């Protein structure tokens, strides 16, 4: 049937097109340009990305594995781990809900103030994390707007866990929304309209059509959001008060150890964060791969 | 089901998409909304479906004012220009969607769904594609699956937005003849939007020619060709190049007509 024609024409994988580009003498670049660019890129990569990573792990293990593990199972380190996980466990699900609803509203509906909302979502990216922390001190701190009311009712937000969670939520807010908005905008409203005409309720449309279409993008956003939630330093540092064993997250714990010239322990804890980054990277690559696989027609069969 | 629209107005900002449009679509007919792009035909179709709200005017479905009826209760089948198939579902699940989202009381059993979907796949002659994903189909196949999906919920009206617009010329011809035959089988009130006069004249029982948000002429394909009501219709149907007899004969030939002067294209 002639109907197959257009499916075949659009099915050329982009990778093979790139290869053709280099193979053809008409479009090939002079070798020295290629090698210079490659050298610069790889050199930069090695110097600024690989070397620090390598340094973290060498420094962490300088005094041997026993010191390394001792630094990790020490009570203050454990409590910092616990707090970091707790903050992420609260911030990520909340931002998942906020992010999805914000992205849905922006991508699928027309309303006044839409541009303003988009700018607002980006605010945590454009504002320094220290300022973000200070905002919460200003609102909830002892001298802040609600300070006296909070102390009257014996509620502690600043220099306590709620403050750390709030600061983490603020800083990581844009990750999921930012990931979803362009994706949802590109997909348009057609499929949702089709679902509605077929009799689906708004809720059914969301669960059966909207969400499955963005699931890989959503997961990607969650991974990035989680990485940042666990690694955040600036905003959390301002609101935490650095109380050992109580309000220290992993990044803050690293700083304290380092300031005490306890390098081996500092790097040991830092290596945990580095490990987290590597895991994040691996997950991110996997999700990206699945996402491209889900979008390209020819790999549909393997993907399911 | 009969459809009537009365005094429909719709503007997008300063652009007037529909300017006081009143039309009646009798039960069981296949009607074409024909006009150049931007004439308001798609907007009118979306207003009938309930996907768009008119600024003023009323839509009557089976004589009943449908203004307060939600899209999902209007029982219309809508085929989108770019098919809007659910890309993460197989062809089977796409067609079954409308049945699966029904309220539990009215939802068919799994066996009924299986049966229904396969009979629809047979109807559009694509039963062998049940396990494929939309991305693996050609344009013509997607269009037929979109139609099967719309028919699954047994709509009272079928609305098609530029159903063949995104297909290449040969597939387009095959598919529109197929649509005509399908309509003759099902006799479901259908409205399709097109900017292709040949398509409208060949397939439809009646043609509504629109321009700048107004209805220029309503009539059988023959009437529109032979007695264009306005200079716009005459120009748009493009009679200047060819003699009317030859054109009508040529265009109606596809439907197996041997044209007589009194022949009524309504009786296909």
């Amino acid at each position: 049937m002639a109907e197959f024609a257009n499916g075949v024409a659009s099915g050329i994988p982009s990778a093979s097109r790139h290869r053709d580009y280099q193979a053809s003498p008409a479009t090939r670049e002079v070798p020295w340009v290629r090698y210079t660019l490659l050298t610069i890129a790889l050199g930069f990569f090695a110097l600024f990305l690989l070397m620090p990573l390598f340094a973290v792990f060498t420094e962490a293990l300088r005094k041997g594995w026993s010191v390394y593990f001792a630094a990790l199972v020490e009570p203050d380190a454990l409590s910092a781990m616990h707090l970091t996980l707790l903050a992420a466990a609260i911030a990520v699900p909340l931002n998942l809900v906020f992010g999805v609803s914000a992205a849905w509203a922006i991508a699928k509906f027309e309303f006044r103030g839409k541009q303003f909302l988009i700018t607002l979502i980006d605010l945590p990216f454009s504002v320094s994390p220290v300022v973000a922390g200070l905002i919460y001190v200003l609102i909830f701190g002892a001298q802040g707007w609600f300070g006296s009311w909070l102390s009257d009712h014996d509620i502690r937000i600043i220099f306590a866990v709620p403050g750390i969670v709030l600061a983490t939520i603020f800083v990581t807010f844009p990750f999921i929304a930012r990931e979803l908005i362009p994706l949802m905008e590109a997909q348009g409203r057609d499929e949702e309209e089709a679902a509605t005409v077929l009799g689906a309720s708004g809720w059914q449309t969301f669960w059966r059509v909207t969400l499955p279409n963005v699931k890989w993008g959503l997961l990607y956003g969650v991974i990035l959001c989680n990485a940042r939630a666990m690694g955040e330093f600036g905003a959390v540092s301002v609101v935490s008060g650095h109380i050992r064993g109580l309000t220290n997250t992993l990044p803050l714990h690293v700083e304290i150890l380092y300031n005490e010239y306890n390098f081996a322990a500092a790097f040991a804890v830092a290596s945990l964060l580095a490990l987290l980054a590597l895991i994040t990277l691996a997950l991110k690559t996997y999700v990206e791969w699945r996402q491209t696989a889900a979008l390209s027609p020819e790999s549909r069969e393997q993907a399911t | 089901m009969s459809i009537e629209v009365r005094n429909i107005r719709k503007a997008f900002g300063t652009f007037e998409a529909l300017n006081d449009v009143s039309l009646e679509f009798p039960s069981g007919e296949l009607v074409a909304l024909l006009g150049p792009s931007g004439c308001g035909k798609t907007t009118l179709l979306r207003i009938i479906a309930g996907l768009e709200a008119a600024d003023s005017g009323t839509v009557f479905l089976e004589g009943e004012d449908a203004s307060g009826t939600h899209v999902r209760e209007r029982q219309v089948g809508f085929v989108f220009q770019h098919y809007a198939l659910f890309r993460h579902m197989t062809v089977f699940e796409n067609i079954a969607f409308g049945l699966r989202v029904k309220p539990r009381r009215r939802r068919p059993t799994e066996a009924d769904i299986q049966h229904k979907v396969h009979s629809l796949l047979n109807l559009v002659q694509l039963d062998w594609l049940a396990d494929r994903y939309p991305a693996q189909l050609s344009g013509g196949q997607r269009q037929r699956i979109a139609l099967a999906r719309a028919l699954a919920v047994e709509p009272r009206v079928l609305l098609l937005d530029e159903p063949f617009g995104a297909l290449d010329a040969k597939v387009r011809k095959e598919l529109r003849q197929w649509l005509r035959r399908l309509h003759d089988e099902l006799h479901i009130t259908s409205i399709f939007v097109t900017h292709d006069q040949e398509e409208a004249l060949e397939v439809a029982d009646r043609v509504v020619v629109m321009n700048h948000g107004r209805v220029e002429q309503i009539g059988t394909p023959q009437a529109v060709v032979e007695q264009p009501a306005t200079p716009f219709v005459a120009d748009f149907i493009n009679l200047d190049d060819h003699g009317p007899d030859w054109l009508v004969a040529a265009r109606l030939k596809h439907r197996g007509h041997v044209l007589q002067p009194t022949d009524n294209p309504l009786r296909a």
Side-chain angles (χ1 to χ4, degrees):
Chain A
M1 256 190 281
E3 291 166 12
F4 284 113
N6 53 358
V8 173
S10 61
I12 306 164
S14 60
S16 80
R17 238 180 280 141
H18 285 303
R19 229 178 295 124
D20 293 347
Y21 194 78
Q22 274 305 322
S24 150
T27 51
R28 194 165 30 212
E29 207 43 85
V30 204
W32 71 264
V33 174
R34 262 196 294 159
Y35 292 125
T36 314
L37 282 174
L38 266 177
T39 316
I40 293 173
L42 288 178
F44 191 87
F45 174 73
L47 191 66
F48 287 94
L49 296 172
L50 273 187
M51 213 164 71
L53 197 63
F54 183 70
V56 166
F57 284 100
T58 3
E59 284 301 317
L61 293 169
R62 184 174 291 263
K63 292 186 183 162
W65 285 96
S66 57
V67 177
Y68 179 83
F69 283 117
L72 295 184
V73 296
E74 178 236 350
D76 286 351
L78 284 177
S79 115
M81 263 177 239
H82 178 249
L83 184 58
T84 299
L85 291 175
L86 178 73
I90 298 173
V92 174
L94 281 177
N95 275 337
L96 181 70
V97 176
F98 294 155
V100 171
S101 17
W104 203 30
I106 286 169
K108 310 282 178 178
F109 299 100
E110 292 301 323
F111 55 91
R112 285 162 69 93
K114 189 163 153 172
Q115 276 310 315
F116 180 67
L117 184 61
I118 296 175
T119 316
L120 215 57
I121 287 174
D122 275 346
L123 190 69
F125 274 168
S126 50
V127 129
S128 157
V130 176
V131 176
L134 282 174
I135 294 168
Y136 287 107
V137 174
L138 185 72
I139 299 173
F140 301 116
Q143 270 75 48
W145 296 348
F146 303 113
S148 50
W149 187 88
L150 287 171
S151 66
D152 287 349
H153 291 78
D154 206 24
I155 302 170
R156 293 196 59 86
I157 292 181
I158 299 303
F159 305 144
V161 177
I164 291 170
V165 173
L166 278 178
T168 309
I169 291 174
F170 180 87
V171 172
T172 56
F173 180 74
F175 283 94
I176 292 171
R178 265 284 139 207
E179 186 60 38
L180 290 184
I181 291 168
L183 188 62
M184 284 184 163
E185 274 179 341
Q187 289 179 346
R189 240 160 43 188
D190 275 11
E191 288 184 42
E192 274 88 2
E193 282 186 348
T196 312
V197 175
L198 288 167
S201 65
W203 196 239
Q204 283 172 323
T205 305
F206 177 75
W207 283 108
R208 287 167 180 259
V209 177
T210 311
L211 206 57
N213 269 337
V214 298
K215 65 178 177 209
W216 293 112
L218 185 64
L219 194 57
Y220 185 86
V222 167
I223 290 170
L224 289 184
C225 180
N226 182 57
R228 182 65 192 267
M230 291 190 175
E232 173 56 25
F233 178 81
V236 170
S237 171
V238 175
V239 296
S240 123
H242 304 266
I243 309 166
R244 275 191 157 195
L246 278 180
T247 64
N248 253 355
T249 61
L250 278 180
L252 300 182
H253 191 58
V254 173
E255 194 212 15
I256 289 182
L257 290 172
Y258 189 83
N259 286 344
E260 289 168 351
Y261 302 102
N262 195 349
F263 296 131
F267 277 108
V269 177
S271 74
L272 270 190
L273 288 169
L275 208 61
L276 172 77
L278 290 177
I279 293 170
T280 306
L281 218 61
L283 279 176
K284 180 173 153 298
T285 316
Y286 172 73
V287 169
E288 266 175 350
W289 174 72
R290 284 301 302 254
Q291 205 174 5
T292 10
L295 291 177
S296 72
E298 63 270 19
S299 45
R300 263 297 193 190
E301 249 148 346
Q302 301 136 28
T304 48
Chain B
M1 181 174 71
S2 66
I3 306 168
E4 188 189 344
V5 296
R6 212 176 283 165
N7 307 110
I8 296 280
R9 284 177 189 277
K10 174 78 182 177
F12 296 104
T14 56
F15 175 73
E16 200 140 19
L18 292 171
N19 191 354
D20 199 17
V21 172
S22 297
L23 282 170
E24 271 181 68
F25 304 92
S27 206
E29 271 194 7
L30 176 57
V31 180
L33 291 179
L34 173 67
S37 56
C39 74
K41 53 195 192 305
T42 294
T43 308
L44 182 60
L45 198 72
R46 289 173 62 86
I47 287 174
I48 294 172
L51 290 170
E52 209 94 55
D55 295 339
S56 67
T58 330
V59 176
F60 295 92
L61 300 176
E62 202 115 65
E64 251 175 67
D65 184 354
S67 315
T69 316
H70 192 276
V71 187
R72 57 176 166 267
E73 271 114 44
R74 290 193 185 192
Q75 289 181 277
V76 297
F78 201 102
V79 176
F80 292 81
Q81 183 175 5
H82 299 288
Y83 325 122
L85 293 173
F86 307 125
R87 70 196 89 183
H88 63 285
M89 293 182 202
T90 60
V91 163
F92 183 95
E93 286 304 321
N94 261 283
I95 298 174
F97 184 87
L99 304 170
R100 292 200 195 283
V101 296
K102 278 184 193 284
R104 190 158 290 136
R105 298 176 281 107
R106 286 192 280 133
R107 196 181 305 158
T109 62
E110 186 58 36
D112 286 344
I113 292 177
Q114 289 276 345
H115 179 77
K116 177 105 195 183
V117 172
H118 281 295
S119 70
L120 280 163
L121 277 167
N122 281 324
L123 180 74
V124 298
Q125 299 152 11
L126 292 174
D127 201 26
W128 49 288
L129 289 177
D131 297 326
R132 301 282 186 89
Y133 284 88
Q136 296 169 313
L137 308 183
S138 72
Q141 291 167 342
R142 282 180 215 179
Q143 186 58 276
R144 283 191 273 166
I145 296 301
L147 195 62
R149 181 179 70 175
L151 290 172
V153 290
E154 294 175 8
R156 299 187 293 170
V157 201
L158 194 58
L159 307 172
L160 305 107
D161 185 9
E162 295 270 3
F164 315 116
L167 304 171
D168 59 67
K170 186 172 174 294
V171 182
R172 201 140 117 186
K173 277 209 168 109
E174 286 168 11
L175 212 54
R176 71 189 186 212
Q177 284 156 22
W178 175 80
L179 177 73
R180 178 67 238 184
R181 288 197 301 274
L182 189 75
H183 183 264
D184 292 340
E185 249 173 74
L186 301 174
H187 280 298
I188 176 171
T189 313
S190 310
I191 305 175
F192 76 99
V193 157
T194 179
H195 60 264
D196 181 339
Q197 55 279 63
E198 197 182 309
E199 195 169 287
L201 297 175
E202 188 188 310
V203 176
D205 294 323
R206 286 203 309 152
V207 178
V208 176
V209 187
M210 292 181 67
N211 188 31
H212 291 308
R214 289 175 182 281
V215 174
E216 297 272 340
Q217 186 173 3
I218 310 166
T220 60
Q222 205 176 0
V224 171
V225 173
E226 287 179 350
Q227 293 127 21
T230 64
F232 170 81
V233 177
D235 186 50
F236 192 71
I237 299 296
N238 200 9
L239 295 176
D240 299 343
D241 303 1
H242 321 283
D245 283 356
W246 176 86
L247 187 83
V248 177
R251 285 180 176 165
L252 296 185
K253 183 182 68 188
H254 296 290
R255 278 173 54 188
H257 269 266
V258 179
L259 194 77
Q260 302 298 318
T262 53
D263 195 7
N264 178 4
L266 259 172
R267 297 261 37 93

